[in-house]
Amino acid sequence: MIAGAVMLASGALCLGGAVISRSRLGIAAAAIMALAMADLVLLGLVPPLAWAVLLVGAGIALGLGLRLAAGAGAGAGREAGSGAAGSAASGIGPMPRAVMIASALAYPAMAWLVLAHDHAAPAAGAHTGHGSFAALLPLLAIAPLVAVLLALAAVTAARRAGGLAVESGAMAAMLLAMSLPGVL
């Protein structure tokens, strides 16, 4: 129950961070994630496989958007302006880029966790006694990404980039909550 609340709150915080950043692609991806968390925790209307496909697609779209922004920055020159529009066109700083990369990687990780939990649920009763390592596997696989997200949250908080810090921390909390056995 606590893990579900963490997933819902993290989804809302990530969506809020995306809205603050004014990135259309980020808002779309975060909206998919927030809707997936709400459905998985509260409603159960959409099959987990559908959410997994949408989450992987969102991660790929974020990665492609990051790649296109890097290409546009190289072509447009770094003196092309300032503010949100200028930074989007002329290149992204190293800290926001690192947060965006980690976030893009978190979406397929979430999809995997959604599928792992969906697959583990029917098998849990059938394979009793084998759950100790299998239950820890998602957590062990996700741990490096969670560590990177937490480090980014700390660094961005120290640099007074609150939106990035909240987004990184919320993404880490969501992955941890989803990694716990029996959450979904």
Side-chain angles (χ1 to χ4, degrees):
M1 186 146 67
I2 292 173
V6 169
M7 290 166 55
L8 291 172
S10 297
L13 288 170
C14 288
L15 181 57
V19 169
I20 290 170
S21 75
R22 296 186 182 127
S23 163
R24 289 183 186 129
L25 190 56
I27 292 168
I32 289 170
M33 177 188 44
L35 287 172
M37 295 306 113
D39 182 63
L40 291 167
V41 172
L42 300 173
L43 304 171
L45 298 175
V46 179
L49 179 60
W51 286 124
V53 169
L54 288 170
L55 289 167
V56 167
I60 291 170
L62 285 174
L64 288 174
L66 183 60
R67 180 75 174 159
L68 292 174
R78 299 213 180 256
E79 67 278 356
S82 61
S87 65
S90 65
I92 301 167
M95 198 50 51
R97 182 176 303 280
V99 171
M100 290 173 67
I101 291 169
S103 292
L105 292 172
Y107 280 86
M110 280 184 268
W112 179 63
L113 289 169
V114 166
L115 290 177
H117 281 286
D118 183 47
H119 180 357
H127 298 291
T128 58
H130 297 286
S132 60
F133 180 72
L136 288 176
L137 188 58
L139 183 59
L140 294 174
I142 300 300
L145 181 57
V146 169
V148 167
L149 285 164
L150 289 173
L152 287 169
V155 169
T156 53
R159 292 185 179 182
R160 299 183 192 263
L164 292 173
V166 168
E167 185 175 348
S168 296
M171 198 70 78
M174 184 180 307
L175 288 172
L176 277 175
M178 291 178 73
S179 298
L180 298 174
V183 170
L184 299 177

